[in-house]
Amino acid sequence: LPKRGFKTLNKNLTAILNLSKIQNILDKTENEIKSTLDLKILKDKKLVNKKYLKLKILGTGEIKKALEISAHFASKQALNKIEKAGGKVSIIKK
C-alpha cells in the first residue's frame, strides 16, 4: 500500500458544538432561529460546514434560552443543562 496520498474510507464526519457556541449562535441570530435547532438549520445558516453528517452536543458553557435541539449525540452534562433551561433534546437514531 502506498504511504503517501492514501485517504481513509471510514470518515467520522461529526460536527461538535459546545453549549457556549450554541449560545453565541443564538445571540447573533436572535430572530432567525426561533425554538428548534438541528444540523439542517446550522448548514442552511452556514454555521457549520456542509460535509458534516452528524451533530454532537457537549456541555461546556451555559445556555439561557429554552430550545429544542435534534442531535445524533449529546453528553449527560449537556442534556441536564438544556433541560434545566427549559429546553428539550431529541436524539436521532440512524
Side-chain angles (χ1 to χ4, degrees), residues 46-70:
K46 296 182 181 177
L47 298 170
V48 296
N49 199 329
K50 291 182 181 181
K51 70 179 181 178
Y52 292 119
L53 302 175
K54 296 182 180 179
L55 179 63
K56 184 175 187 176
I57 307 297
L58 298 179
T60 304
E62 293 293 327
I63 192 162
K64 300 172 189 167
K65 184 178 177 183
L67 191 66
E68 186 174 330
I69 300 174
S70 297

Side-chain angles (χ1 to χ4, degrees), residues 1 12-13 17 34 38 41 43 64 80 83-84 87:
L1 291 175
N12 185 8
L13 299 174
L17 290 178
K34 299 294 182 191
D38 61 355
I41 293 171
K43 285 181 181 179
K64 300 172 189 167
N80 291 336
E83 289 174 359
K84 195 176 193 182

